Amino acid sequence: MAKPFKTLDEQIDILIKRNLVIKDIDQAKFSLTKHGYYSIINGYKDIFLKEKANPMEEDCYSDNVNFTDLINLYYFDVRLRNEILSALESIEGTLQSNIAYILSEKFGYEKTDYLCPTNFKVGRRTRNGRNEREVLLEQLEKICGSEEHPMKHYRSRYGNVPPWILAKGLTFGNIIYIYKLFKKEEKDYLISRCLGTPINEVDEKLKEFFSKMLDIFRRYRNWAAHGGRIYSHKVREELPYYPPVHQKYGITRGNYNKGQGKNDIMGLCLAMFFFMDSYFHGSVQFFAGLDHNLEHYQKRNPGYYPGVLKQMGFPSDYEESFFKDKVLQINTNSKLFLERIQLPSVSPNTIPQ
């Protein structure tokens, strides 16, 4: 059946009939005006509803559920979404800069050199008959030909768009394509530079985990950027069980098989902390924002707090078992990091200007 338009008064009447307590009608109308009935009610009602005997039954809220309870969860999720987006933007920047560095160092800074087809694997055949390399190079050429700054500026002034300028226009989708079509040497080098792992320790299991990590980052970034409910969201892609990461954060194989740390917010967070393990400022900033948000929600909605943690995949003692004892033991030795990635000497003509 079609869903007809409802006025604010009709929306309030529906909620009251469904057993939702609304103490301040005007404030509820204000919230619905600012954020929308669908965003607040349809987005965050699930944990507050009574279980239905029949799926066709109307929703009915558990006793004593207040409109404020939904608003508090809505704002918690907005803050969580912003914190995740900020951390993912930092991760995206690291990937962009290291891809630019590798393209410049390995192939040169002239577009005709670093976009030479032989630099990349052919990839699979797409549905339109072209291979993935052709699709990628077309996308990268389009970025170089953009009328946006700084691409247009570099084309007009220098007659070339070097990799460190191309990188400014890369999307997460472009990044994943480049990683996928990099040959083994460049792929291992990118992982080494991003994680601070010696290149001779980059094995197939780490590469598989890194690849899935990028897929999950992209999915969550796109979901969050479009305002989707984030705290209980699960993406289609799944992290493989990787003991150096999952065991570090207290996730056993059994818990993983039940879904924890696979494709939920727990999985996203452990992947982000793993990626940012050598980036002290970024890790602490994300942890502080996440921890503060959870503590704030717990104080305002203690009765629903355990259910929210469960939906996220977090353990009830997350501060001790997940964050403070493990995540904040971050290596801040910059010299050691540079030694681990075995930076080769850079010739003057490849240094970004």
Side-chain angles (χ1 to χ4, degrees), residues 105-127:
E105 183 184 31
K106 294 287 186 178
F107 309 121
Y109 61 87
E110 291 287 343
K111 183 167 72 74
T112 53
D113 293 329
Y114 71 81
L115 290 188
C116 179
T118 56
N119 297 338
F120 304 92
K121 295 189 294 185
V122 174
R124 297 179 181 178
R125 184 71 58 181
T126 63
R127 282 180 290 184

Side-chain angles (χ1 to χ4, degrees), residues 124-138:
R124 297 179 181 178
R125 184 71 58 181
T126 63
R127 282 180 290 184
N128 60 12
R130 298 190 300 165
N131 60 55
E132 289 179 311
R133 182 173 66 186
E134 291 173 322
V135 175
L136 172 64
L137 292 177
E138 181 181 277

Side-chain angles (χ1 to χ4, degrees), residues 138-156:
E138 181 181 277
Q139 292 173 347
L140 300 185
E141 287 282 1
K142 187 174 181 179
I143 293 171
C144 290
S146 169
E147 292 300 307
E148 300 289 334
H149 181 81
M151 291 75 171
K152 184 178 180 180
H153 169 74
Y154 267 73
R155 285 200 317 274
S156 60

Side-chain angles (χ1 to χ4, degrees), residues 95-337:
L95 289 162
Q96 289 172 338
S97 63
N98 281 288
I99 284 173
Y101 188 95
I102 292 170
L103 290 174
S104 302
E105 183 184 31
K106 294 287 186 178
F107 309 121
Y109 61 87
E110 291 287 343
K111 183 167 72 74
T112 53
D113 293 329
Y114 71 81
L115 290 188
C116 179
T118 56
N119 297 338
F120 304 92
K121 295 189 294 185
V122 174
R124 297 179 181 178
R125 184 71 58 181
T126 63
R127 282 180 290 184
N128 60 12
R130 298 190 300 165
N131 60 55
E132 289 179 311
R133 182 173 66 186
E134 291 173 322
V135 175
L136 172 64
L137 292 177
E138 181 181 277
Q139 292 173 347
L140 300 185
E141 287 282 1
K142 187 174 181 179
I143 293 171
C144 290
S146 169
E147 292 300 307
E148 300 289 334
H149 181 81
M151 291 75 171
K152 184 178 180 180
H153 169 74
Y154 267 73
R155 285 200 317 274
S156 60
R157 183 163 184 177
Y158 302 108
N160 179 52
V161 176
W164 54 92
I165 299 301
L166 165 76
K168 299 295 183 183
L170 294 179
T171 65
F172 237 118
N174 299 143
I175 289 169
I176 290 173
Y177 246 129
I178 291 171
Y179 171 79
K180 182 178 180 179
L181 298 182
F182 262 163
K183 295 178 181 178
K184 182 183 184 304
E185 183 178 349
E186 289 74 45
K187 187 174 289 188
D188 292 355
Y189 193 24
L190 178 63
I191 295 173
S192 174
R193 289 182 59 86
C194 288
L195 302 182
T197 302
I199 201 163
N200 61 351
E201 295 180 14
V202 177
D203 57 20
E204 291 304 313
K205 288 186 177 180
L206 176 55
K207 282 195 279 192
E208 180 190 12
F209 186 80
F210 189 87
S211 178
K212 289 297 182 181
M213 209 166 49
L214 296 188
D215 288 333
I216 283 177
F217 289 161
R218 179 175 65 91
R219 287 288 184 182
Y220 269 106
R221 189 187 187 285
N222 290 345
W223 183 258
H226 289 89
R229 181 183 65 203
I230 201 80
Y231 83 97
S232 60
H233 188 61
K234 291 180 172 63
V235 295
R236 182 175 60 197
E237 289 82 1
E238 297 179 350
L239 287 174
Y241 189 74
Y242 187 56
V245 175
H246 285 88
Q247 290 180 4
K248 178 180 179 181
Y249 298 103
I251 301 177
T252 65
R253 169 70 76 169
N255 290 337
Y256 172 85
N257 290 339
K258 293 177 182 177
Q260 186 184 26
K262 184 179 290 187
N263 59 349
D264 53 7
I265 290 295
M266 178 73 162
L268 172 67
C269 287
L270 68 85
M272 289 196 294
F273 278 117
F274 176 65
F275 189 97
M276 297 190 293
D277 190 56
S278 58
Y279 180 36
F280 181 79
H281 176 74
S283 295
V284 170
Q285 186 177 45
F286 179 57
F287 162 74
L290 184 59
D291 190 45
H292 175 76
N293 193 18
L294 283 165
E295 287 183 355
H296 179 75
Y297 182 77
Q298 182 183 23
K299 288 177 182 178
R300 302 194 69 177
N301 290 75
Y304 300 112
Y305 175 74
V308 168
L309 279 185
K310 184 177 180 180
Q311 289 285 331
M312 296 173 70
F314 282 15
S316 58
D317 60 345
Y318 76 91
E319 287 186 296
E320 289 75 24
S321 66
F322 183 59
F323 291 116
K324 292 180 180 177
D325 294 340
K326 300 178 178 64
V327 175
L328 296 185
Q329 295 175 359
I330 298 168
N331 170 43
T332 59
N333 189 325
S334 301
K335 182 179 179 180
L336 180 59
F337 176 85

